[in-house]
């Protein structure tokens, strides 16, 4: 639906379980808000500017967001919740899709590394390793049944690289294809059918888009190209292609032409501190043809790391790219020991920039880009990067324990009734055992918390078989309680026939089966989420 939605229009409203209290940012397709829910918990909500006005668009959104919600990687921001917000604005009824994510306490790399600031090679490698690990995980993603289902990001840029609560990089906005092009295609087919470069058909950031993206093609190599553009920007202070056209449409057209036809400006010709081997790696990832780039984004990150290590073997210690479950401990935070590098040439460096908002990382805060800006590059030394200005190395992996399942899922409000009901039934079953078997009261009092522990242990498992095996003691506990109650009633009020005791087996088996089935259904819903 073509209606101009301002981010301030929704401020203060309640979207699902969340109260919108602050606008954090906005883009062409969505607004980002700070939301509050529960007992003061805060989250980030991304709400689309486009309405889902057809059943097909809603089913597309819900189907694809379920896929994205299953991404589980230390360098990918988690999707906590999603939904469709029904609201009336400007006299029209709208259905706005939204995504709910954790708040990133450190902001984004765009805030920490503004345009015009260069980074040392070693720090670039650390960032690229983490982002490449997240992209490779998404590109190799498989469904629970083993089917390959690659998820493309399609909007890799510094603004979508967030700093997590322990200094790690979180790659965000995997939902750009959901909130952007999917809603456009289904809700407004005529606009989606119009070819580039109309404004309605643009989704993504043209400065970071691969050439094939302008033709409507989406490939794994497109994400590799965008990461290479980001890497180029960190080394040069600016992306390889930019436009100063005053009109948005004109800028998009110029960037499309440059991305398709022009080679990136040479890094070694402009900056003497960049080795030719590093430039060759980046230029290969920036090839116009997708087949000429590296076979995977992981291969690009490994080639970049190898090139930097070979060029500065005494100053660079190779680090393995972080995998889905392999993370390294972060170094301690410290004040910036060196001034940020500046870009010579057309980039203005003598005029001091306006103060940036303070960024909080861990227990310290600092101003991005703080320090004296020099017109010449400082010489590298062995201790130049011993203590970076801020650390984005992944956090320490916590050791596995009995309750190390998908615990964040247990906090979802939609499943609290299920957990409360089972805990109440466990307590009631214990009381029935106390009435029927009073002599065993020490064992029964011990069994009640033990069964609650087994219950939470079972529903925190990721594998259905492990979930059912751990739920079996709880089911047997229900069966014993129900069977003992029936036998006690028969002995107290029945005619005393021995065969009637067999009737107690039926309710016992029913209670056991009901417990196992309810936990199984819980696991199925959890995997779907």
């Amino acid at each position: 639906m073509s209606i101009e939605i301002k981010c301030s229009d929704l401020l203060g409203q309640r979207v699902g379980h969340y109260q919108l209290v602050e606008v954090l940012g906005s883009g062409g397709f969505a607004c980002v808000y700070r939301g509050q829910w529960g007992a003061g918990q805060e989250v980030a909500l991304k709400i689309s500017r486009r309405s889902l006005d057809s059943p097909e668009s809603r089913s597309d959104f819900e189907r694809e967001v379920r896929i994205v919600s299953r991404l589980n990687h230390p360098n990918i921001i988690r999707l906590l919740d999603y939904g469709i917000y029904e609201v009336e604005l400007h006299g029209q009824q709208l259905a706005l899709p939204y995504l709910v994510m954790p708040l990133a306490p450190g902001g984004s790399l765009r805030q920490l590394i503004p345009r015009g600031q260069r980074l040392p090679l070693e720090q670039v490698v650390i960032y690229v390793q983490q982002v490449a690990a997240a992209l490779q995980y998404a590109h190799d993603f498989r469904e629970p049944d083993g089917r390959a289902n690659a998820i493309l990001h399609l909007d890799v840029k510094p603004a979508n690289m967030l700093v997590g609560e322990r200094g790690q990089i979180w790659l965000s906005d995997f939902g750009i294809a959901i909130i952007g092009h999917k809603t456009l295609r289904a809700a407004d087919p005529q606009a989606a059918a119009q070819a580039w470069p109309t404004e309605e058909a643009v989704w993504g950031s043209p400065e970071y888009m691969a050439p094939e993206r302008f033709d409507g093609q989406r490939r794994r190599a497109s994400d590799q190209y965008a990461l290479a553009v980001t890497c180029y920007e960190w080394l040069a202070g600016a992306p390889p292609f930019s436009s100063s056209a005053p009109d948005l449409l004109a800028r998009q057209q110029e960037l499309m032409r440059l991305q398709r036809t022009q080679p990136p400006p040479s890094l070694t010709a402009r900056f003497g501190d960049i080795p030719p081997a590093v430039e060759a790696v980046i230029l290969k990832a920036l090839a116009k043809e997708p087949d000429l780039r590296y076979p995977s984004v992981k291969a690009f990150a490994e080639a970049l790391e190898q090139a930097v290590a070979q060029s500065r073997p005494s100053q660079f210690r190779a680090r393995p790219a972080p995998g889905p479950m392999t993370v390294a401990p972060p170094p301690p935070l410290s004040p910036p020991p060196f001034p940020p590098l500046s870009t010579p040439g057309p980039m203005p460096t003598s005029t001091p920039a306006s103060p940036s908002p303070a960024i909080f990382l861990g227990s310290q805060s600092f101003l991005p880009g703080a320090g004296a800006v020099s017109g010449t590059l400082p010489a590298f030394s062995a201790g130049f990067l011993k203590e970076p200005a801020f650390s984005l190395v992944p956090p320490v992996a916590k050791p596995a324990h009995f309750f190390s399942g998908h615990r964040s899922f247990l906090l979802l409000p939609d499943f609290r009734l299920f957990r409360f009901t089972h805990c109440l039934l466990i307590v009631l079953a214990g009381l029935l055992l106390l009435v029927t078997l009073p002599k065993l009261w020490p064992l029964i009092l011990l069994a009640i918390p033990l069964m609650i522990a087994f219950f939470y242990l079972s529903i925190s498992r990721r594998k259905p078989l492990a979930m059912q095996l751990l739920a079996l003691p709880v089911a047997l506990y229900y069966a014993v309680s129900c069977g003992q109650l029936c036998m006690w009633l028969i002995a107290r009020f029945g005619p005393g026939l021995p065969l009637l005791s067999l009737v107690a087996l039926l309710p016992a088996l029913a209670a056991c089966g009901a417990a196992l089935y309810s936990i199984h259904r819980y696991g199925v819903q959890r995997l779907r989420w």
Side-chain angles (χ1 to χ4, degrees):
M1 179 176 294
S2 59
I3 177 176
E4 184 66 23
I5 299 178
K6 298 180 180 179
C7 295
S8 58
D9 293 340
L10 301 178
L11 194 60
Q13 298 192 26
R14 187 171 187 84
V15 178
H17 302 287
Y18 316 97
Q19 186 77 26
L20 306 182
V21 297
E22 181 186 354
V23 178
L24 298 178
S26 63
F29 290 103
C31 299
V32 182
Y33 300 86
R34 182 192 302 271
Q36 290 183 346
W37 69 287
Q41 294 96 331
E42 291 189 334
V43 293
L45 280 84
K46 173 165 287 191
I47 302 180
S48 173
R49 295 176 182 266
R50 303 184 184 277
S51 178
L52 302 180
D53 299 324
S54 66
E56 293 80 9
S57 63
R58 298 192 182 206
S59 60
D60 279 351
F61 168 75
E62 292 178 355
R63 180 177 63 252
E64 296 203 9
V65 79
R66 288 195 195 100
I67 297 174
V68 174
S69 67
R70 289 200 289 269
L71 293 176
N72 182 18
H73 190 274
N75 296 117
I76 296 179
I77 194 167
R78 292 180 295 118
L79 183 61
L80 302 177
D81 196 2
Y82 66 92
I84 299 176
Y85 179 45
E86 305 279 352
V87 62
E88 184 176 351
L89 285 178
H90 309 294
Q92 298 190 39
Q93 192 69 26
L94 304 178
L96 305 178
Y98 65 89
L99 308 176
V100 182
M101 297 160 288
L103 275 176
S108 68
L109 287 189
R110 171 54 65 214
Q111 294 173 293
L112 301 179
I113 311 169
R115 283 275 171 92
Q117 179 176 328
R118 297 182 60 213
L119 292 180
L121 283 170
E122 290 81 352
Q123 196 70 27
V124 171
V125 170
I126 294 175
Y127 298 168
V128 170
Q129 283 178 333
Q130 297 183 64
V131 177
L135 290 173
Q136 191 66 52
Y137 168 81
H139 292 175
D140 297 339
F141 182 76
R142 289 184 176 274
E143 296 290 347
D145 58 4
R147 291 183 296 109
N149 190 3
I151 298 178
L152 307 184
H153 189 283
L154 303 176
D155 197 26
V156 178
K157 58 184 179 180
N160 288 333
M161 302 173 190
L162 307 180
V163 181
E165 53 197 3
R166 288 178 288 180
Q168 75 275 28
I169 286 185
W170 283 343
L171 188 58
S172 69
D173 270 20
F174 270 93
I176 184 65
I178 301 170
I179 282 188
H181 118 278
K182 279 295 180 184
T183 56
L184 173 63
R185 184 188 68 179
D188 196 351
Q190 293 183 350
Q194 296 174 359
W196 178 277
T198 61
E199 180 180 354
E200 290 294 331
V202 178
W203 54 283
S205 304
E207 288 182 333
Y208 301 88
M209 286 173 61
E212 67 271 10
R213 289 287 315 284
F214 298 99
D215 298 325
Q217 301 180 23
R218 298 180 295 164
R219 303 178 60 169
R220 292 179 175 89
S222 304
D223 285 343
Q224 179 189 150
Y225 185 96
L227 181 58
V229 171
T230 304
C231 182
Y232 185 104
E233 178 181 350
W234 286 335
L235 294 175
F241 305 113
S242 60
S243 173
S244 58
D247 180 65
L248 174 63
L249 185 59
R251 288 199 301 272
Q252 294 171 351
Q253 290 175 334
E254 183 176 2
L255 287 170
M256 176 183 65
R257 180 184 62 82
L258 293 174
Q259 298 280 21
R260 282 175 166 174
T261 61
Q262 297 299 315
S266 173
L267 289 170
T268 56
R270 297 176 60 196
F271 309 103
D273 62 323
I274 299 180
V278 174
E279 181 187 49
V281 170
I282 296 176
L283 292 183
K284 180 175 180 179
L286 291 176
K288 304 299 181 185
E289 294 295 331
D291 295 335
L292 299 180
R293 300 169 200 156
Y294 287 94
S296 66
V297 67
K298 178 183 178 182
F300 164 59
E302 291 175 346
L304 180 65
E305 177 186 347
Q306 185 178 5
V308 174
Q310 291 176 352
S311 62
R312 296 198 177 108
S314 62
Q315 301 174 18
F316 182 77
R317 291 183 302 169
R319 298 179 178 87
M325 298 304 294
T326 304
V327 290
L333 291 171
S334 61
F338 57 88
L341 305 183
S342 61
T343 303
M347 290 290 177
T349 59
S350 58
T351 304
S354 58
S356 303
I359 301 299
F360 178 80
L361 279 179
S363 60
Q364 300 185 13
S365 61
F366 64 93
L367 295 177
V373 179
S374 171
T376 59
L377 296 174
F380 274 90
S381 62
F384 187 72
L385 284 174
K386 284 184 178 178
E387 292 183 350
F390 48 89
S391 172
L392 296 181
V393 181
V396 180
K398 293 184 178 180
H401 53 82
F402 284 117
F403 291 94
S404 60
H406 198 329
R407 288 165 294 169
S408 62
F409 186 83
L410 302 179
L411 301 177
L412 291 178
D414 295 342
F415 296 90
R416 288 175 181 167
L417 180 61
F418 171 81
R419 299 191 299 274
F420 173 78
T421 303
H422 263 282
C423 290
L424 181 62
L425 289 176
I426 290 174
V427 174
L428 291 177
L431 295 177
L432 292 177
L433 288 175
L434 286 174
V435 172
T436 57
L437 299 172
K439 295 182 179 181
L440 300 179
W441 66 268
L443 293 178
I444 296 172
L445 293 180
L446 180 63
I448 292 175
L450 186 62
M451 290 302 107
I452 294 177
F454 266 106
F455 168 69
Y456 273 98
L457 182 61
S458 66
I459 64 175
S460 65
R461 297 300 91 192
R462 290 187 173 92
K463 296 183 178 180
L465 180 59
M467 181 183 298
Q468 290 295 311
L469 289 177
L470 291 170
L472 188 58
V474 182
L476 294 177
Y477 172 80
Y478 285 141
V480 170
S481 175
C482 188
Q484 185 63 31
L485 176 63
C486 292
M487 293 179 64
W488 181 79
L489 292 175
I490 292 174
R492 189 175 182 87
F493 302 106
L497 296 178
L499 292 179
L500 290 179
S501 299
L502 298 177
V503 180
L505 291 177
L506 298 179
L509 293 176
C512 181
L516 291 175
Y517 179 74
S518 65
I519 295 178
H520 166 73
R521 291 299 303 169
Y522 179 92
V524 170
Q525 294 297 326
R526 171 181 155 182
L527 291 177
R528 287 181 180 176
W529 185 89

